[in-house]
Amino acid sequence: MIDVKSVLEEIKAAPYEEIEIKAPHTGIVTFEVKAPGGKVAAPSGAYLEKPGTLLASITRERNVKPLHALVSGEVASIHLERGGAFVEAGTPLLVLRHYLTKDEVVAAILKRVLHLFTAPERAKYYFIPSVDIKVKSGGCRAVTVKPGMELFIVSRMKREKPLSYDGPEGIIYAIYFQHDDNVEAGQPLIGVCPESQTGLIQDVVNRVHSDWEERN
């Protein structure tokens, strides 16, 4: 088991993620942000119908494609020398620095310290009925899993098959898939924690929620 408190201290030392924005296709670049340090906003509105800050646009064959910020934060760096120039798809344009929210910090810690059981293929995943009842009535932490335990129904191309859990014994601490959504191969389905470690993890989660200062 990874030292949960050490992971939290590591995140505190760099409480952000940097997201590189690249040209989605060929075209001529026009920057709307002019220098590093400027604040940017994520999409907003009840249905995220209001786009985020306009960062740049790419013009190809008189068609202009806007590039909006998908996260809040600030401009960490920008390739101003590419403004007005023709660029290829995938050319780096700028980097956004997004400061982590409380929920994002918790999610990052859990993905580091839990055993992640991942999807073996792209498909829809469902708990078997007996487990689904436990999750709905008592929450995921009411379920203890063991190696070889039949846990999921995998649904793909109108065919269903069982999937057994392969990992250490423990309780399901987090669920990462949504009912009826396709999950890509390699993406986590659940995060499992030894029962003896649940108290330590919850203490750190509580500390994040009470002490973490959000900067966005």
Side-chain angles (χ1 to χ4, degrees), residues 115-121 123-132 135 140 143 145-146 148-156 159-167 172 174-179 181 183 187-192:
H115 171 76
L116 300 181
F117 182 64
T118 59
E121 60 182 310
K124 294 179 180 179
Y125 290 82
Y126 308 92
F127 286 120
I128 63 171
S130 59
V131 172
D132 192 52
V135 170
C140 64
V143 180
V145 294
K146 298 180 180 180
M149 172 183 172
E150 191 172 303
L151 188 58
F152 292 104
I153 298 170
V154 184
S155 177
R156 185 171 183 267
R159 296 183 179 180
E160 295 185 346
K161 62 181 180 180
L163 175 64
S164 296
Y165 171 71
D166 179 17
I172 299 178
I175 297 174
Y176 295 106
F177 67 96
Q178 297 291 329
H179 181 80
D181 282 353
V183 180
Q187 292 301 304
L189 295 170
I190 57 172
V192 176

Side-chain angles (χ1 to χ4, degrees), residues 55-95:
L55 305 173
S57 60
I58 307 286
T59 303
R60 181 177 65 177
E61 298 178 353
R62 297 184 181 179
N63 292 318
V64 180
K65 180 177 178 61
L67 301 180
H68 294 275
L70 297 179
V71 297
S72 56
E74 64 186 28
V75 178
S77 62
I78 181 171
H79 292 280
L80 287 174
E81 73 280 4
R82 290 174 181 150
F86 182 88
V87 298
E88 298 290 340
T91 301
L93 300 178
L94 62 160
V95 174

Side-chain angles (χ1 to χ4, degrees), residues 43-59:
S44 59
Y47 302 100
L48 300 181
E49 71 278 5
K50 299 177 182 178
T53 302
L54 181 61
L55 305 173
S57 60
I58 307 286
T59 303

Side-chain angles (χ1 to χ4, degrees), residues 8-18 97-101 104-105 212-216:
L8 176 58
E9 292 305 315
E10 182 181 329
I11 294 174
K12 280 183 177 180
Y16 54 80
E17 60 178 347
E18 293 193 335
R97 178 171 292 164
H98 168 67
Y99 289 93
L100 300 173
T101 66
E104 289 169 338
V105 172
W212 191 267
E213 294 185 7
E214 298 188 354
R215 296 180 55 177
N216 290 320

